[in-house]
Amino acid sequence: MFNINRHVDHGAQLDHADAEILGIEAAREVERFLKYRDGHAPTPLVALPALAHELGVAAIHIKDEGHRLGLGSFKALGGSYAVIRLVLEEASRQLGRQVDVGELQTSEVKAVASRMTVSCATDGNHGRSVAQGAQLVGAKCAIFVHAGVSAERIAAIARFGAEIIRVNGNYDESVACASRVAKEKGWITVSDTSWPGYERIPGFVMQGYTALLSEALRELPELPTHVFVQAGVGGIAAAIAGHLSILLGDKRPFFVVVDPSRAACLFESARVGRAIKVPDSESTVMAMLECYEPSLVAWRILSRTADAFMTVDDDEAIAVMKRLASPLSGDPAIVSGESGGAGLAGLIQVASSKELREQADLGSDARVFLINTEGATDPKLYHALVGVSPAEVAARNC
């Protein structure tokens, strides 16, 4: 399904607070922070000229976040960044002076961090980022995981020393449980979704995501005309769409938000014109996108900056995983997890329909930017779905 955004706020400027979070200076600060992270390097921007030719567009570039900071997901940019920001703020308050990121490993700051506990609910990737950030600064960490989080992903979180708290139910129920327990225990909730009265910290998480766009824009030979980005609660889509709107104004690319059809909270919100919760139905293979209620901050931004909302089915997502693993002649292979290629699945769906191409103004001169939001964060599941291991796919580029 594909719907043009007809919200009354479409095209309006961002709220001041949102513009400040996703502004140019904020994005520069994120990149400054990243310089202090061991192992940080820009992720690859991959051109797929053969696929572009097949789909009848001028260019396709994918930012491959499967290589981000050892976590294999763009989420590495958000949760850990927010944890660092919060520790520095608390250290500044307790020490009575401004504490900068360069002091993160000092004994004074470590002492402050050791008395802090950060927590969140997760589908897997965000929890790993928060846990990694907590380990980096020396804070305690508790991660709430719902019934749908695989044992592989839980183990990957636990490796960073986080306490794992299991919650019956789905992601949204785990978010509610995590918020309630954190309030009772005096922990700091570092969520990637927002709700009434809780927006500032999810704003930091989204701010962290701007780094991948900053990197991409420095490498792209030309500005994109179209962007397709997948969404769960909407954080990554809103961060990219919001930052592009600030950078480029009326010249920003046509922006499409791609939802799983079985968890289409943003698509349905756009359809009715307000943020809504959709029913919990059959689980989607796109586990990192299985969210039934949008982040309020993300919805506020996307209602203004997204040009269309669409859905893709599970079989389309799996087909993209296989297509990226076994690309057309001349294109490199990409390891893409179950949720990682949903944006490309959206592009393929639009490119395959004359009517949708016209609605999206996707012509032969279109330059498309996509994000592979995750690599094989569950290698066993990846092998089961694609038929080969992540290592075998990566070896195809050697």
Side-chain angles (χ1 to χ4, degrees):
M1 293 188 288
F2 183 95
N3 283 334
I4 294 294
N5 184 8
R6 305 194 187 283
H7 194 278
V8 64
D9 287 340
H10 180 233
Q13 290 187 342
L14 298 181
D15 280 1
H16 176 75
D18 298 334
E20 188 172 7
I21 282 289
L22 298 178
I24 295 171
E25 290 303 319
R28 287 174 180 163
E29 187 73 347
V30 172
E31 291 204 285
R32 188 176 73 86
F33 272 49
L34 282 171
K35 291 177 181 177
Y36 289 88
R37 296 288 303 273
D38 289 340
H40 165 66
T43 52
L45 181 70
V46 182
L48 298 177
L51 181 59
H53 179 74
E54 180 188 289
L55 297 183
V57 297
I60 296 174
H61 286 88
I62 296 184
K63 185 69 166 163
D64 187 2
E65 290 297 297
H67 302 269
R68 182 66 70 178
L69 285 168
L71 292 192
S73 164
F74 79 98
K75 294 279 189 175
L77 291 169
S80 57
Y81 170 74
V83 170
I84 292 169
R85 286 285 305 261
L86 292 167
V87 167
L88 293 177
E89 285 185 353
E90 182 60 20
S92 297
R93 186 187 69 81
Q94 291 192 26
L95 300 176
R97 61 178 178 81
Q98 189 64 38
V99 178
D100 193 49
V101 64
E103 301 177 68
L104 201 59
Q105 300 303 320
T106 64
S107 58
E108 284 183 311
V109 176
K110 286 281 192 182
V112 172
S114 69
R115 298 188 290 271
M116 300 171 65
T117 300
V118 294
S119 65
C120 73
T122 188
D123 279 320
N125 291 340
H126 177 66
R128 277 206 293 170
S129 184
V130 171
Q132 185 188 53
Q135 185 184 71
L136 178 69
V137 300
K140 302 179 185 67
C141 182
I143 304 295
F144 293 73
V145 297
H146 60 87
V149 181
S150 71
E152 287 273 326
R153 292 189 170 110
I154 291 173
I157 297 168
R159 280 197 288 270
F160 290 103
E163 175 188 359
I164 304 297
I165 301 174
R166 299 174 187 268
V167 179
N168 291 326
N170 60 29
Y171 171 76
D172 298 278
E173 290 164 329
S174 68
V175 169
C177 179
S179 177
R180 183 183 70 252
V181 173
K183 188 174 182 180
E184 292 170 355
K185 293 182 175 291
W187 296 346
I188 302 171
T189 298
V190 185
S191 178
D192 59 351
T193 190
S194 62
W195 52 85
Y198 180 76
E199 294 189 355
R200 183 169 178 268
I201 293 175
F204 286 157
V205 174
M206 289 171 56
Q207 190 176 83
Y209 301 156
T210 62
L212 74 88
L213 182 58
S214 299
E215 292 172 2
L217 290 175
R218 283 194 289 269
E219 287 192 55
L220 284 167
E222 294 183 83
L223 290 174
T225 61
H226 292 72
V227 178
F228 289 72
V229 177
Q230 51 269 48
V233 296
I236 180 61
I240 301 304
H243 193 48
L244 281 171
S245 73
I246 292 170
L247 288 174
L248 303 177
D250 293 340
K251 296 181 180 179
R252 62 185 175 82
F254 189 92
F255 196 97
V256 184
V257 177
V258 183
D259 263 347
S261 58
R262 295 178 182 173
C265 62
L266 281 160
F267 178 86
E268 293 298 333
S269 294
R271 188 178 62 82
V272 302
R274 57 184 173 83
I276 63 169
K277 184 175 183 177
V278 298
D280 177 357
S281 59
E282 183 181 0
S283 291
T284 172
V285 72
M286 292 170 270
M288 300 302 102
L289 307 178
E290 190 170 349
C291 307
Y292 300 96
E293 188 170 11
S295 164
L296 291 186
V297 173
W299 165 249
R300 186 170 65 227
I301 293 168
L302 290 170
S303 65
R304 302 175 187 212
T305 59
D307 298 296
F309 295 80
M310 68 179 298
T311 62
V312 295
D313 295 333
D314 279 21
D315 59 349
E316 294 175 284
I318 296 170
V320 161
M321 294 173 69
K322 294 177 178 178
R323 175 175 281 225
L324 289 172
S326 301
L328 297 169
S329 177
D331 285 352
I334 296 175
V335 176
S336 180
E338 313 91 81
S339 303
L344 175 55
L347 169 62
I348 293 171
Q349 186 184 129
V350 172
S352 302
S353 164
K354 183 176 183 295
E355 179 185 355
L356 295 185
R357 290 189 77 120
E358 290 176 352
Q359 290 187 52
D361 195 23
L362 188 75
S364 60
D365 59 346
R367 302 181 298 275
V368 184
F369 175 66
L370 306 166
I371 303 169
N372 179 33
T373 48
E374 64 167 7
T377 54
D378 187 332
K380 289 183 179 178
L381 180 57
Y382 181 90
H383 191 284
L385 293 173
V386 179
V388 293
S389 72
E392 289 175 283
V393 174
R396 289 171 178 169
N397 293 323
C398 298

